[in-house]
Amino acid sequence: MLVDSHCHLEYDGLVEDQAEALARARRIGVHGFLNISTKQSEWDQVVATARANRDVWASVGIHPHNADEHAQLTRGELLEATHDANVIGIGETGLDYFYDRSDRGVQQKLFRLHIDVARETGLPVIIHTRDAEDDTLAILSDEMEQGSFPALIHCFTASAAFGEAVLELGLTISLSGIVTFKNAKDLQAFAKTVPQDRLLVETDSPFLAPVPHRGKACEPGFVQDTASFLADLRNEPFDDLAQSTTKNFYRLFSKAVR
Ligand SMILES: [Zn+2]
Ligand SMILES: [Zn+2]
């Protein structure tokens, strides 16, 4: 049994085939899907899909790409959206200085706002970070000092030094299909060192299909290929890795009821 801790079921490339993609995943033992939102206008839809499927949950948040158009989002609006029983996480949020699609100051302000709501609700904050290790770490350290909150780095691709620093802060690491790519040697080396009780797996579908599906639209069932690759890499039986990542998911996202 596996859980896909991060997928975008409402995105083009997946939404057209959503019911079939979920059915294919269930048939191979994936029983749990966290449907991630990236802007306020998606919140109702991610929650509706979660309501319609008992093994799907939702997150509410603003992706750093979309920060500019949500510069006025209030703490109250985000907090209110978390009250639905199907909402188990906050995000995705964070910093993306690779694409720089939104002003960095606005990205940082919204990142802190998500953390604030995570601290108040106890729901984990789902963090996207790209080419922004220093600022991500500075904000996380600063905010942790003001009171701890549960958090994970999703689709982890950062340096080992950053990984060790966030593990030190108590965060969980989620690995996507990127770890299966041939040129991801540094990431693979780091993936071997993540403690078993701090590791999650995800697809980030419809993006980033793992080997051997590269070039296809990614779907939640492909989390099995990433998990299987990781089990080999880490020298763990597949069932152990499936069990521990699933246990970690339900411990971190404690509002998810099976
Ligand atoms: Zn992301
Ligand atoms: Zn995502």
Side-chain angles (χ1 to χ4, degrees):
M1 165 148 166
L2 281 166
V3 173
D4 182 0
S5 72
H6 191 112
C7 51
H8 297 280
L9 298 175
E10 317 305 331
Y11 275 24
D12 289 350
L14 191 48
V15 70
E16 307 85 350
D17 191 34
Q18 190 190 83
E20 293 78 6
L22 288 173
R24 283 192 291 275
R26 290 171 186 132
R27 275 202 294 279
I28 57 167
V30 183
H31 294 284
F33 311 88
L34 182 45
N35 192 15
I36 305 287
S37 65
T38 56
K39 49 187 171 194
Q40 196 172 12
S41 60
E42 292 171 352
W43 294 354
D44 285 346
Q45 192 51 53
V46 292
V47 170
T49 299
R51 240 178 233 151
N53 294 274
R54 53 178 292 279
D55 52 3
V56 176
W57 296 281
S59 79
V60 289
I62 309 298
H63 193 287
H65 287 347
N66 305 321
D68 279 350
E69 72 224 53
H70 295 82
Q72 307 308 320
L73 182 84
T74 66
R75 186 179 185 283
E77 284 174 293
L78 184 58
L79 185 61
E80 166 79 28
T82 66
H83 291 153
D84 188 283
N86 297 283
V87 173
I88 64 166
I90 320 254
E92 57 181 295
T93 178
L95 305 175
D96 194 316
Y97 296 173
F98 180 78
Y99 288 106
D100 267 331
R101 287 204 196 138
S102 283
D103 177 82
R104 292 182 179 185
V106 180
Q107 293 186 40
Q108 292 167 16
K109 180 187 123 179
L110 280 175
F111 183 24
R112 287 185 187 269
L113 185 137
H114 285 69
I115 289 172
D116 192 23
V117 173
R119 194 186 287 117
E120 166 145 358
T121 58
L123 301 180
V125 59
I126 300 151
I127 300 165
H128 169 112
T129 180
R130 188 149 181 211
D131 276 10
E133 293 189 9
D134 291 350
D135 284 359
T136 303
L137 200 53
I139 288 175
L140 283 172
S141 309
D142 181 49
E143 291 286 340
M144 280 290 178
E145 272 174 32
Q146 298 171 45
S148 70
F149 52 90
L152 72 123
I153 304 293
H154 110 87
C155 192
F156 184 94
T157 55
S159 68
F162 176 85
E164 280 150 24
V166 296
L167 283 168
E168 189 71 30
L169 286 172
L171 273 69
T172 295
I173 304 277
S174 181
L175 293 171
S176 72
I178 290 180
V179 76
T180 71
F181 296 178
K182 262 196 192 66
N183 59 4
K185 296 294 174 218
D186 291 349
L187 180 58
Q188 288 161 7
F190 174 68
K192 286 190 201 179
T193 71
V194 179
Q196 194 186 43
D197 63 350
R198 306 285 282 283
L199 181 66
L200 296 179
V201 283
E202 65 171 80
T203 57
D204 208 8
S205 51
F207 311 113
L208 305 170
V211 173
H213 306 287
R214 288 199 71 179
K216 282 194 241 168
C218 188
E219 59 181 67
F222 295 175
V223 74
Q224 196 200 40
D225 300 281
T226 298
S228 159
F229 179 92
L230 277 172
D232 286 348
L233 181 75
R234 289 165 58 88
N235 256 317
E236 289 172 28
F238 175 81
D239 287 348
D240 286 6
L241 186 124
Q243 211 175 65
S244 61
T245 53
T246 297
K247 201 167 109 190
N248 296 341
F249 177 84
Y250 286 109
R251 192 179 54 237
L252 183 64
F253 291 99
S254 54
K255 195 176 161 188
V257 184
R258 268 179 279 191

